[in-house]
Amino acid sequence: MGIKLFKRSATAILAIALLIPSAAVLAKEESGGTQSYSATRQSAAKKAALLTEDYGVTSVQYALFDNGRIAVSGQAGINDEQGIIPLNNNTVYGIGSVAKVYAAAAVMRLVDEGKLKLDEPVVSYLPAFTMKDSRYKQITPRMLLNHSSGLNGSTLTNSILYRDNDTYAHDHFLEDLAQQELKADPGAYSVYSNDSFTLAELLVEEVSGMSFTEFIQHAFFEPLALSRTYTASEELNEEAAAALYSPMREGQMPLGIDNAIGSGGIYSTAEELALFGGLFAGYGQGLLSDTAVTQMAQEEYKRGLWPEQGSDMFNYGLGWDSVHLAPFGDYGIKALTKGGDTLFYHAQLIVLPEQGMTAAVLSSGGSSIFNSVFASDLLLQALKERGDIQHLPSPKSFGEPIAAAPPQKQLDYAGVYGNFQTVYQIGITPEGKLLLSNALQPGTGAAEYVFTESGDYISQDGTTKVRFVEETNDRVYLWISQYISLPGLGQTVATYYDAEKLDKNEISSETAEKWAERDGKIYYILNEKFTSALYFANMATTVQLMEDVPGYNASQKITGPNSSKNDIQIPGLNGRDHMPYQFYQDNGTEYLKVQSFLFIHEDGIKSIYGGQKSKATILEDGLARWFAIPEAAAGKRLTVSRPAQSSFAVYDASGICVFFSQVDEDRAIELPPNGKVVFVGEPGTVFQLSLK
């Protein structure tokens, strides 16, 4: 669990850059950079200002790479709370899941070197990889990179930490996988998987004999002179990073470090991300072969189950979210893209391989969708200015729906549909009106769609089209295509299987009774490190039963008195992160195991002592200690004396974190009525408590 810090020598990087000029530098010398892009610069500055003024973005940084050079770059917004550190092109942002492109490139580099084959089993190279499910032996490197491995999704225990690059998530990953089963046959369909890229990270380390950080430094960062690009295992000066803010509290947040490097733990600038993207746009010769670049841009999503679509936000390549990003297909232009979202950082990289162009947009606050639309507009403006296209895209719509009577077959599609995070109740009237509501929150209203002669349902505003699809796996899916318009920024389109129809799940009366006792109960996280951002976010989970859908815990199928698991098989995003539930009792208290996370039942939490002096001690198991705030303690001010390697947090009755010692300066905290307090540290850590 040690912290590994690797400082790169600026002198060494400069020497390498002088000996091996980057392709971007070479191309710049050849091209002379003749295009000024004045109109594109003006447009980008306006869009950046709009994001920070109207879309809740704290800061945004952008860059356009064209003809071997950074042609346009800029930034907008605020940085540190004191206003001392200005934003500039060297300000560093977390790029989140855009790191997956780096991981894919690293694997392809090993393929180029003849050390790895895409379609050989991973276990051939990484024999320590094992799972409870024997199908894991079929997983190949290709399946890791195109999200079709069948891994459950996100094994991220102790991975998102404040000012802490502990390697726990990396060091225990194979141990955690060994306790899991697959959610689908390897290669059956592509569904977003963080774990696939963490496994790819370990694969690169095993085959190369280097740490993942060392390998990508050697393979890409140093030859391209990316001196402002870091991984989570390196020492990043927090003052060099874009300031973070949360809507849940006032003031600046500490730097959150994503320690799952291959799936999300890289930090960079927009200019350097755009330069890295140049590898896939004809630059960086010798770093990746043309064959490798071409393979990464293939339609990998078509290898398995996938919804019918055109150019879109999601259609996977190797590492790429999309290899046919809209609206570029309307111009006959191939576009690759990858987005990333962490708790507060957001990123988007778009590459136009045939045009030799890339765009990168990074932000603190906001969303990768905002960044994607901005980056698309940046490229479209540049394409127009250099004469490659004649006009910018106009907003699209499916048009106002003209109602038609649905056949009986359509009425049969009514029922309950689920995805990895929610459940829908769908009703269809004989007149052809589809009503879609949240089955987990009854009474919150329903979205309405109108059946049309095309066989699709369309929203009244024409932005969304819905249909039902009976797939080759005998499952029924809710298919959605949606135009997403961001006023002043632009438009994108997303087409996907949103949910799958849930079949009946008969359970015994004994099992039903056991689950009924848990309905609505809250379970609190126990085994995250004291620096974990999940305490600020209050990672709690709740059992949610539905009267109209017996046999299910939300979208999970109940499999026994103490277990449930997702049975859905949805390609794309909405079938991601299967998290089976397993309950057990210990000394009269119920615990919940969810993959590598451990939770405690709310009824097992004791009340904090309401007297003036007390203490809380972390027991030998090292688990967090949770306490309820009784009436006798509510309204009193809590002061805590604690060791440096520990933390505590206070929550109100609704579960909102009102104080976390890793985020806030230690002070006396007024305890909210019916709230909770948690203490976190190593075994034997003692917290001295004073209530006044």
Side-chain angles (χ1 to χ4, degrees), residues 158 523-529 535 539 584 589-592 597-601 605 621-626 678-681:
N158 291 318
Y523 294 76
Y524 293 89
I525 189 71
L526 288 174
N527 63 333
E528 282 288 291
K529 191 178 179 182
Y535 290 112
M539 183 184 174
Y584 68 92
T589 297
E590 184 169 77
Y591 295 87
L592 168 61
F597 294 111
L598 183 64
F599 299 82
I600 186 172
H601 191 295
I605 296 176
D621 57 18
L623 300 177
R625 298 287 307 279
W626 285 85
V678 64
F679 300 97
V680 195

Side-chain angles (χ1 to χ4, degrees), residues 271-597:
E271 289 188 359
E272 292 202 355
L273 179 55
L275 283 169
F276 174 76
L279 283 177
F280 312 99
Y283 297 90
Q285 292 88 344
L287 301 185
L288 279 180
S289 69
D290 291 344
T291 299
V293 170
T294 300
Q295 282 184 300
M296 288 179 65
Q298 295 302 303
E299 298 171 328
E300 290 288 325
Y301 63 98
K302 288 186 175 180
R303 291 177 177 269
L305 184 72
W306 196 260
E308 177 186 338
Q309 62 177 194
S311 296
D312 205 88
M313 289 175 61
F314 292 97
N315 36 55
Y316 299 127
L318 296 179
W320 298 108
D321 280 345
S322 175
V323 294
H324 295 298
L325 179 65
F328 297 96
D330 295 344
Y331 300 94
I333 295 174
K334 184 176 181 65
L336 315 173
T337 193
K338 183 72 190 81
D341 295 278
T342 66
L343 288 178
F344 301 113
Y345 284 133
H346 310 277
Q348 197 76 27
L349 171 66
I350 301 177
V351 176
L352 308 185
E354 295 164 5
Q355 284 67 34
M357 301 175 73
T358 77
V361 177
L362 307 178
S363 67
S364 170
S367 161
S368 63
I369 293 180
F370 297 171
N371 296 1
S372 177
V373 174
F374 181 13
S376 293
D377 183 76
L378 183 58
L379 285 164
L380 290 165
Q381 294 281 356
L383 288 168
K384 183 174 182 292
E385 192 163 0
R386 77 179 199 177
D388 288 14
I389 63 175
Q390 300 305 309
H391 58 85
L392 298 176
S394 300
K396 290 185 177 182
S397 160
F398 296 113
E400 185 177 344
I402 299 175
Q408 179 60 45
K409 177 71 172 177
Q410 289 294 320
L411 303 184
D412 294 340
Y413 288 129
V416 179
Y417 290 70
N419 58 38
F420 84 104
Q421 61 184 356
T422 194
V423 180
Y424 299 129
Q425 181 74 53
I426 294 179
I428 303 173
T429 69
E431 296 75 29
K433 182 179 290 186
L434 185 153
L435 302 173
L436 186 151
S437 60
N438 188 334
L440 299 177
Q441 297 177 319
T444 55
E448 296 187 9
Y449 304 88
V450 177
F451 186 75
T452 63
E453 288 186 351
S454 68
D456 297 320
Y457 298 82
I458 297 177
S459 61
Q460 286 290 351
D461 63 5
T463 62
T464 306
K465 181 186 289 186
V466 175
R467 71 172 68 128
F468 299 96
V469 178
E470 297 181 18
E471 269 289 2
T472 54
N473 61 1
D474 296 325
R475 298 178 183 232
V476 177
Y477 293 94
L478 177 68
W479 177 97
I480 289 181
S481 186
Q482 183 178 29
Y483 288 111
I484 302 169
S485 296
L486 302 175
L489 290 176
Q491 186 184 69
T492 189
V493 61
T495 304
Y496 53 97
Y497 283 151
D498 188 15
E500 175 186 324
K501 192 171 188 180
L502 302 182
D503 56 9
K504 291 183 179 179
N505 183 36
E506 301 290 343
I507 58 176
S508 68
S509 57
E510 176 189 357
T511 295
E513 183 177 340
K514 188 67 176 177
W515 277 88
E517 294 173 0
R518 302 184 180 112
D519 188 23
K521 295 294 185 179
I522 301 174
Y523 294 76
Y524 293 89
I525 189 71
L526 288 174
N527 63 333
E528 282 288 291
K529 191 178 179 182
F530 73 92
T531 53
S532 174
L534 298 188
Y535 290 112
F536 178 74
N538 188 11
M539 183 184 174
T541 188
T542 305
V543 170
Q544 294 178 285
L545 305 184
M546 298 165 287
E547 186 175 341
D548 295 336
V549 197
Y552 282 87
N553 167 32
S555 61
Q556 290 197 15
K557 185 175 287 187
I558 294 172
T559 56
N562 297 306
S563 60
S564 67
K565 68 176 184 178
N566 260 316
D567 185 47
I568 58 174
Q569 295 198 355
I570 306 174
L573 284 176
N574 283 1
R576 62 179 289 179
D577 296 347
H578 283 205
M579 306 286 272
Y581 279 25
Q582 186 67 50
F583 298 90
Y584 68 92
Q585 295 275 334
D586 186 15
N587 291 326
T589 297
E590 184 169 77
Y591 295 87
L592 168 61
K593 185 81 170 170
V594 183
Q595 302 283 64
S596 54
F597 294 111

